[in-house]
């Protein structure tokens, strides 16, 4: 074990673990609605138009997020692909690399706050957590935000510990902190800044001193953040005459603070209720680890992790708008707290890990594991063509974690239990992302529609009536017309060789438009694509049309 902790070996080991989790399925998974598809389509349009200032989805100004994520995705597309291609994996690379950055920075911070054994386990727990694995596979902001927040909080942790009499912080720590913070502002606005400020305030109150702030070099930091964010902010304000900033504040930021945006609302306690799933399998030890952390909160490393975790978690719980991934930037702190608990062999912690309250928590975790295993078996039956062989390793990984984990729990071999559940998670993720997800044909409506349209009318302009998912725009092209039945009929009349995708409830309107235009004798109906629109939570029936060529 000691040989694995020397030099760069832990970094290589954690990178290998990340690769086993993040790379399977990265190139084969269909583009996901709606967020991922919107991001990749907006990035494609940025590359197509060479406009790297204003973000748009088709003709709509997209002010949901700053420009940073689109720049990163554009760079990957330029390096490895082309905007005309519909491969999603280049757009996903920043997210996957962001998760890797978080894993490695968790190890770097943990090795200073605690020791390399704890740090290695914490990095592994983060790499195999369900939410981190999911976000590594999606071309959105959250994987990148996790990486940048981990750098900011990791560097601040090094500076904090130095201020408490610990090892001297590296000379690069303050510079890296402000660089990462500026980039985080450019990727997802003030989220990382909020976490940093709340951590500082909490530590200041708990320590009754702010001496740890001396190494931050705030003047340099503010100038650096301004230099990173300011030029683009000025450019987009000028290009849109202030519309981008106004829309970002009025239609994105304020609705999230004042109400449940886009029906993504939940009561306080939502993140506590789902953490057994989102942190799975590391959530096995979450409850006893948090109890121990609170008891040992006077220790500098534990205090720092709690200050990172608790106040920001409370804020996320209080915000009306909630999505499962919002608390992801706090997961490195959770991983460190759990890893610290599992190495605490001399303070009565192992007795508490074997006590009844902990056992009851393990029972709840086991129910989640059984539900996940059942879900992997049921998914292809419900949304695919029936039983899939990919269900076997996906469910087996969870059951391996469950059975092997319990065998070690009952023998009080808690570190072995942690290793067991991580090994099972790797098998599950590789099977799910690498194979099982592609068998769920009913969910990939846009993929199937795009393939049929390409067979019916290769390279044609297409109108989609009633079905307006952004994945269809990405797969069929930027100029795909999202309209109603009459609009789809007009496109067929005005552009020879074009195609129409008509959802069932728009059929009457479409056929009326075709009849009015005198095109009914030339109408050719292709295949009917049926599936389940998971974004809207309901079945869909898509009818494909084109016209016979003019004689």
């Amino acid at each position: 074990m000691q040989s694995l902790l020397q030099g760069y070996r832990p970094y290589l080991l954690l990178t290998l673990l990340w690769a086993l989790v993040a790379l399977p399925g990265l190139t084969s998974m269909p583009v996901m609605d709606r967020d991922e598809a919107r991001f990749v389509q907006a990035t494609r349009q940025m590359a197509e138009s060479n406009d790297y200032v204003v973000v748009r989805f088709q003709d709509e100004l997209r002010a949901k997020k700053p420009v940073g994520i689109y720049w990163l995705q554009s760079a990957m597309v330029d390096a490895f692909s082309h905007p005309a291609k519909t491969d999603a994996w280049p757009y996903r690379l920043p997210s996957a690399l962001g998760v890797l950055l978080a894993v490695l920075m968790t190890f770097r911070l943990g090795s200073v706050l605690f020791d390399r054994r704890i740090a290695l386990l914490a990095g592994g727990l983060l790499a195999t957590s369900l939410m981190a694995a999911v976000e590594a596979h999606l071309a959105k902001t959250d994987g990148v935000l996790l990486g940048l927040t981990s750098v900011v909080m990791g560097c601040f942790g090094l500076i904090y510990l130095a201020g408490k009499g610990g090892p001297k912080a590296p000379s690069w720590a303050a510079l890296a902190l402000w660089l990462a913070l500026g980039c985080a502002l450019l990727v997802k606005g003030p989220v990382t800044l909020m976490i940093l400020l709340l951590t500082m305030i909490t530590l200041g109150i708990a320590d009754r001193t702010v001496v740890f702030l001396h190494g931050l070099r705030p003047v340099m930091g503010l100038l650096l953040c301004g230099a990173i964010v300011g030029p683009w902010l000025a450019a987009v304000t000028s290009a849109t005459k202030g519309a981008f900033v106004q829309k970002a504040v009025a239609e994105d930021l304020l609705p999230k603070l004042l109400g449940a945006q886009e029906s993504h609302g939940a009561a306080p306690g939502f993140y506590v209720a789902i953490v057994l799933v989102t942190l799975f399998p590391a959530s096995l030890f979450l409850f006893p680890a948090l109890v121990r952390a609170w008891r040992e909160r006077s220790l500098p490393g534990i205090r720092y992790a709690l200050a990172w975790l608790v106040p920001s978690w409370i804020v996320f719980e209080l915000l009306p708008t909630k999505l499962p991934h919002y608390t992801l930037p706090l997961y490195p702190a959770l991983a460190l707290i759990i890893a610290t608990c599992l190495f605490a062999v001399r303070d009565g912690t192992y007795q508490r890990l074997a006590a009844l309250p902990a056992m009851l928590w393990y029972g709840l975790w086991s129910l989640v594991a059984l539900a996940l295993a059942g879900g992997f078996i049921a998914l292809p039956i419900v949304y695919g063509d029936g039983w899939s062989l990919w269900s076997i390793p996906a469910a087996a990984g969870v059951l391996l974690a469950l059975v092997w984990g319990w065998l070690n729990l009952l023998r009080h071999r808690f570190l072995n239990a942690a290793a067991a559940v991580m090994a099972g998670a790797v098998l599950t993720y590789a099977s799910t992302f690498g194979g099982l997800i592609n068998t769920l044909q009913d969910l990939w409506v846009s993929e199937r529609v795009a393939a049929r349209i390409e067979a019916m009318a290769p390279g044609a302009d297409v109108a989609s009536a009633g079905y307006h998912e952004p994945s269809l725009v990405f797969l069929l092209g930027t100029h795909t017309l999202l309209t109603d039945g009459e609009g789809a009929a007009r496109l067929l009349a005005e552009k020879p060789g074009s195609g129409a995708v008509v959802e069932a409830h728009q059929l009457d309107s479409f056929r009326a438009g075709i009849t009015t235009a005198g095109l009914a004798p030339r109408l050719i109906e292709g295949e009917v694509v049926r599936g389940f629109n998971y974004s809207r939570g309901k079945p869909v029936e898509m009818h494909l049309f084109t016209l016979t060529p003019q004689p």
Side-chain angles (χ1 to χ4, degrees):
M1 177 67 178
Q2 287 301 319
S3 62
L4 291 176
L5 299 174
Q6 303 302 312
Y8 287 96
R9 291 175 184 174
Y11 294 99
L12 295 176
L13 185 62
L14 288 171
T15 300
L16 175 61
L17 181 61
W18 162 85
L20 292 173
V21 171
L23 297 186
L26 197 71
T27 60
S28 61
M29 279 175 50
V31 64
M32 304 287 290
D33 284 312
R34 291 175 173 155
D35 282 350
E36 182 184 41
R38 285 172 176 152
F39 276 108
V40 299
Q41 176 58 30
T43 298
R44 168 199 267 174
Q45 288 181 218
M46 183 173 281
E48 288 174 339
S49 65
N50 287 317
D51 180 357
Y52 291 91
V53 173
V54 182
V55 183
R56 298 186 184 278
F57 180 87
Q58 293 193 307
D59 296 327
E60 177 187 357
L61 181 65
R62 181 164 168 78
K64 293 283 186 180
K65 298 292 181 292
V67 77
I69 188 64
Y70 305 101
W71 286 351
L72 291 173
Q73 292 179 357
S74 293
M76 294 298 104
V77 172
D78 287 343
F80 300 109
S81 185
H82 188 276
K85 295 185 177 181
T86 57
D87 300 321
W89 68 265
Y91 301 87
R92 291 171 174 155
L93 281 178
S95 297
L97 294 174
V99 173
L100 174 61
L101 180 61
V103 170
L104 299 181
M105 198 64 205
T106 299
F107 173 79
R108 179 69 177 88
L109 174 62
S111 65
V112 176
L113 290 181
F114 307 106
D115 61 42
R116 284 196 156 206
R117 300 171 307 155
I118 291 172
L120 182 62
L121 178 58
L125 292 172
L126 178 62
T128 55
S129 65
L130 178 60
M131 189 54 63
V134 169
E135 292 302 333
H137 288 82
L138 297 178
K140 297 161 52 203
T141 55
D142 300 286
V144 175
L145 183 72
L146 173 64
L148 293 172
T149 303
S150 298
V151 173
V152 170
M153 299 306 295
C155 291
F156 179 50
L158 301 179
I159 294 170
Y160 170 75
L161 199 64
K164 297 284 288 183
K168 182 180 178 181
S171 58
W172 48 262
L175 177 62
L177 185 157
W178 293 110
L179 280 172
L181 180 59
C183 293
L185 290 168
L186 207 56
V187 166
K188 203 168 182 177
V191 175
T192 301
L193 177 60
M194 178 201 75
I195 295 171
L196 177 63
L197 290 177
L198 287 174
T199 305
M200 289 179 177
I201 293 169
T202 303
L203 290 172
I205 294 172
D207 291 350
R208 299 180 182 178
T209 179
V210 291
V211 66
F212 54 82
L213 299 178
H214 290 169
L216 281 179
R217 303 174 66 185
V219 174
M220 175 202 74
L222 292 174
L223 291 174
L224 191 56
C225 286
I228 292 172
V229 178
W232 169 76
L233 190 59
V236 75
T237 301
S238 175
T240 63
K241 298 181 180 178
F244 187 96
V245 175
Q246 186 274 333
K247 188 173 182 179
V249 173
E251 298 183 18
D252 187 56
L253 179 60
L254 288 180
K256 287 179 179 177
L257 297 177
L258 301 177
Q261 188 185 43
E262 297 176 356
S263 301
H264 298 312
F270 171 77
Y271 296 113
V272 172
I274 66 170
V275 73
L276 269 169
V277 178
T278 55
L279 191 62
F280 187 90
S283 54
L284 175 63
F285 296 106
L286 179 59
F287 170 70
L290 288 174
V291 171
R292 178 189 179 272
W294 187 253
R295 191 174 61 250
E296 303 292 339
R297 62 188 179 276
S298 61
L299 299 176
I302 295 292
R303 175 168 290 188
Y304 183 77
L306 286 173
W308 179 352
L309 171 68
V310 175
S312 294
W313 193 286
I314 292 172
V315 169
F316 284 126
E317 291 283 15
L318 293 177
L319 289 175
T321 301
K322 292 182 175 67
L323 285 170
H325 57 261
Y326 279 6
T327 55
L328 182 60
L330 311 181
Y331 280 24
L334 283 174
L336 288 167
I337 288 170
I338 294 169
T340 306
C341 176
L342 294 178
F343 276 98
V345 297
R346 297 176 182 172
D347 62 357
T349 295
Y350 267 39
Q351 286 74 24
R352 296 184 186 93
L353 286 171
L356 180 59
M359 287 294 174
L360 292 175
W361 179 262
Y362 305 152
L364 286 176
W365 180 92
S366 300
L367 293 177
V368 170
L370 289 173
L372 288 173
F376 293 134
I377 295 172
L379 279 172
I381 298 174
V382 177
Y383 297 114
D385 295 327
W387 166 258
S388 170
L389 289 176
W390 283 107
S391 293
I392 297 176
V398 179
L399 296 177
L400 172 68
L402 179 63
V403 175
W404 192 9
W406 267 105
L407 287 175
N408 284 288
L409 288 174
L410 294 174
R411 297 172 184 173
H412 298 180
R413 298 174 179 173
F414 300 110
L415 283 171
N416 289 352
V421 298
M422 286 192 291
V426 169
L427 175 59
T428 293
Y429 298 149
S431 304
T432 302
F433 294 119
L436 179 61
I437 200 167
N438 290 307
T439 69
L440 310 179
Q441 293 299 316
D442 286 354
L443 301 184
W444 313 131
V445 176
S446 294
E447 289 270 332
R448 294 160 59 206
V449 166
R452 302 295 190 274
I453 284 289
E454 183 62 23
M456 290 176 62
D461 289 329
V462 179
S464 180
Y467 183 78
H468 293 174
E469 296 304 328
S471 59
L472 191 65
V473 178
F474 177 69
L475 294 169
L476 292 178
T478 300
H479 297 294
T480 301
L481 178 64
L482 303 181
T483 183
D484 56 13
E486 292 182 1
R490 280 195 301 272
L491 182 74
L492 290 186
E494 294 170 1
K495 291 193 175 182
S498 57
V501 179
V502 184
E503 198 172 10
H505 73 272
Q506 290 286 335
L507 274 175
D508 290 343
S509 172
F510 172 75
R511 292 189 185 280
I514 287 292
T515 301
T516 300
L519 300 174
R522 296 175 49 212
L523 188 65
I524 298 177
E525 182 166 359
E527 296 184 42
V528 177
V529 176
R530 295 180 177 88
F532 187 80
N533 186 344
Y534 54 86
S535 296
R536 297 170 65 184
K538 66 178 187 178
V540 290
E541 180 179 293
M542 312 298 298
H543 296 254
L544 313 183
F545 298 93
T546 188
L547 297 176
T548 58
Q550 289 281 7

